Amino acid sequence: MTYLLKLHPEITIKSRSVRQHMTRCLASNVRNTLRQLEEGVRVKGGWDALLVSLPDTLPAGRVEEMEDTLARIPGIHEILATEAVPCDSLDEAAAWIVPHWRAAIAGRRFRVRAKRRGDHDFSSMDLERRLGSALLAAEPTARVDLKHPEIVVSVELTHRRLQLIRSRRPGLGGYPLGVQGQALALVSGGFDSPVAAWRMLRRGIKTHYLFFNLGGPAHETGVREVTHHLWQRYSASHNVDFTSVPFEGVVAEILRTIPDGLMGVILKRMMVRAASRVAARAGIPALVTGDAIAQVSSQTLTNLALIDAASELPILRPLVTEDKQEIIDTARRIDTARFAEQMPEYCGVISRRPHTRAPADKVLAAEAEFDFRVLDAAIEAATVTRASRLREGQRQPGEVTVVDSLASLARMPAVSVIDIRAPDEREAAPLELPEVPCLAIPFYELQDQAQTLPGDRDYLLYCDQGVMSHMQALHLKDRGMDHFGVLRHAC
C-alpha cells in the first residue's frame, strides 16, 4: 500500500530552504512514528508531497491503524491512498481510471483534476478531457460540473507512472513537530490545558508537560493518562518529559498566610514561578497555559497581567479568546474530553469571593508573608518521567468510603466527622451533627495530624464542595490509612 502525503499549505509558501527543512523534518517524524508500529515502512521525501510505502503483507486492520496514525501527524494536509501503474498514453490512462471511478460517479456531478509531470505529447488539460469523456461514456447517469462537483476524480501522472488515488482523507495540518522549537505546557487534566498543548503540537512546537499535584496520587494518575494520550496520538515521533511538582505544601502555605480573595491569583503566580525555573533548567524558552479570557476569576486581563509578572519566561495562551464550548468541542475531537469529565477541578476549591481585579500592591504584600522555602522545596522534590513511560508502574487510585445520607451516617458504630474547611468558612456556615463527634482540622493541617488520631474509629472528611475532602481521603488511603472516608455535602 502506498500513500501520498500532501504538505500543509502554509509549508508550501515558505522559502525554498525553509520548505526543504520542514519537509525533511516531516519525513523524519512520519518515519519515527510509523516505525514504532511497523519496521518495514519506507518514507521518501519530495517537493510537495511525501511518499509512504507499507509492507504488502499487512492485514487490513493494521493498514487502517497506520492510516489513522498518519491523520494525527502535524504537518500533513491530506493523505492519498494510491497505486502506481504503467501508463504511456491517454487511452491507457482511461483504461485504468474508468473501472476505479465508475461506481463512485454514478448519478453524481463530477470533474477530473489531473496533474502531469514529464515529457508527454499531451497536456494536463488533454488528460482531464479524455478521462472525463471516458467516464461519461461508461456511466451515462453522471454529469460533469467543473465549478461545484460532488466528486473530484484526482489523477497524477509522473513520467510513465500513473498514480491511481483510491481514497483520500484530511490530515491534521499545521507544521512538522519540532520545527518551531520547544515549550512547557502546564497541564491539570481538565478540558483546557490538554487542548492548549495540542494546539502547540499542531503548530510544530515540541511540547513538554508540567503538572502541579494538588490532589495526591489520584490526581497525578489522571493527568499522566491524558498526557500519555496526547503524546502517543499526536507527538510520538519525539521524546518529551512529564514533570510532576508536589504542590500540596504550597497550597497549605497559601491557605495559612494569604487573604481569601487573593488565593487563586497567588496560587497561579506560584505555579508560573515554579514553571519558569523548571523550564529554564531544561533549556525551554516558553510556557503554555490553557487560560481563556474571563473563564474564571484568575483569568481576567488584570489578573492575567499579575500572573505574567511572576514569570521569568513568556506565557503562551492559545485558547485565550475561545469560548468554553469551543474548547470542549475540540477536546471531544482529540479525545481528551473523557479524561476531563472524570477530573475534579482542584484549583477552584481554595478560594471564596476571589478578586477579579486583584490589586497589585495587596498581592505583593500578601506574598511577603509567604514562606518561599516551601516553594523551593516543592521544586526540588519534582520528578521527571519520559512521556513514553508514563503508564509504567502506575498504581490505580483506590476507592474511599462515601456517606451521602444522615441515615447511613447514623448506622456507623464508631465514626467521627472532620470538618476540613478553613476557619472562616466553618464560622460562616457551621456544621451541625449533634449525634456525631466532630473535629475541626483545616485541610492544610490534616496530613500531619491524621496519623495522631485514635485508630479505633472511622473518620469522614467534610468540605463544602466535596472535592477537597475526596482528594484528602484518597491521599490518606495512599499512605495506608484506610479508615478515612468522605461525608457528602448532600447531608
Side-chain angles (χ1 to χ4, degrees), residues 172-438:
L172 184 61
Y175 290 117
L177 194 64
V179 299
Q180 301 298 326
Q182 302 184 84
L184 181 65
L186 281 62
V187 290
S188 65
F191 287 102
D192 304 338
S193 57
V195 173
W198 175 79
R199 291 206 179 282
M200 303 306 287
L201 294 173
R202 187 179 176 277
R203 297 304 287 178
I205 296 173
K206 181 180 177 181
T207 303
H208 300 267
Y209 302 89
L210 178 61
F211 164 60
F212 293 102
N213 192 339
L214 308 182
H219 190 192
E220 179 159 341
T221 295
V223 178
R224 286 166 73 102
E225 284 287 334
V226 70
T227 301
H228 184 270
H229 170 85
L230 277 174
W231 170 80
Q232 187 176 57
R233 286 176 68 89
Y234 301 104
S235 59
S237 58
H238 286 65
N239 289 319
V240 299
D241 291 330
F242 173 89
T243 302
S244 176
V245 181
F247 232 52
E248 293 116 316
V250 174
V251 172
E253 180 65 13
I254 288 174
L255 288 166
R256 288 190 189 99
T257 60
I258 304 301
D260 185 68
L262 301 176
M263 287 181 182
V265 169
I266 289 179
L267 174 61
K268 295 294 181 65
R269 281 169 61 88
M270 296 299 170
M271 287 179 172
V272 300
R273 281 191 178 97
S276 293
R277 289 165 60 179
V278 170
R281 191 163 56 196
I284 299 173
L287 308 179
V288 179
T289 73
D291 297 324
I293 289 291
Q295 191 176 120
V296 297
S297 61
S298 64
Q299 294 174 14
T300 63
L301 280 178
T302 299
N303 289 347
L304 289 176
L306 285 170
I307 293 166
D308 283 1
S311 175
E312 298 173 5
L313 297 176
I315 301 177
L316 309 179
R317 296 184 171 94
L319 309 183
V320 70
T321 62
E322 291 200 22
D323 295 336
K324 188 67 175 185
Q325 190 58 53
E326 292 175 323
I327 297 170
I328 292 173
D329 290 344
T330 301
R332 298 199 191 288
R333 191 166 71 251
I334 65 175
D335 197 28
T336 59
R338 58 190 172 95
F339 301 97
E341 287 162 352
Q342 302 175 26
M343 184 71 62
E345 180 56 65
Y346 292 100
C347 291
V349 302
I350 72 163
S351 181
R352 296 184 306 149
R353 302 183 300 275
H355 285 293
T356 57
R357 295 178 177 83
D361 56 341
K362 291 186 178 180
V363 168
L364 296 176
E367 287 186 347
E369 303 299 318
F370 184 90
D371 184 355
F372 278 88
R373 291 175 297 180
V374 176
L375 182 65
D376 296 338
I379 296 170
E380 288 304 312
T383 60
V384 180
T385 307
R386 276 290 165 90
S388 58
R389 305 183 66 178
L390 282 173
R391 287 184 166 177
E392 294 180 10
Q394 267 207 116
R395 290 177 300 165
Q396 292 301 313
E399 295 296 327
V400 295
T401 300
V402 176
V403 175
D404 54 11
S405 71
L406 289 173
S408 298
L409 182 63
R411 288 194 295 268
M412 298 181 70
V415 63
S416 294
V417 172
I418 302 177
D419 190 337
I420 68 170
R421 296 176 296 171
D424 61 334
E425 292 181 82
R426 293 199 304 268
E427 292 173 9
L431 179 63
E432 297 181 0
L433 297 170
E435 304 299 323
V436 180
C438 292

Side-chain angles (χ1 to χ4, degrees), residues 90 121-131:
L90 293 174
D121 58 2
F122 53 84
S123 66
S124 296
M125 187 172 293
D126 293 334
L127 181 57
E128 290 178 352
R129 288 171 175 167
R130 177 68 181 89
L131 296 180

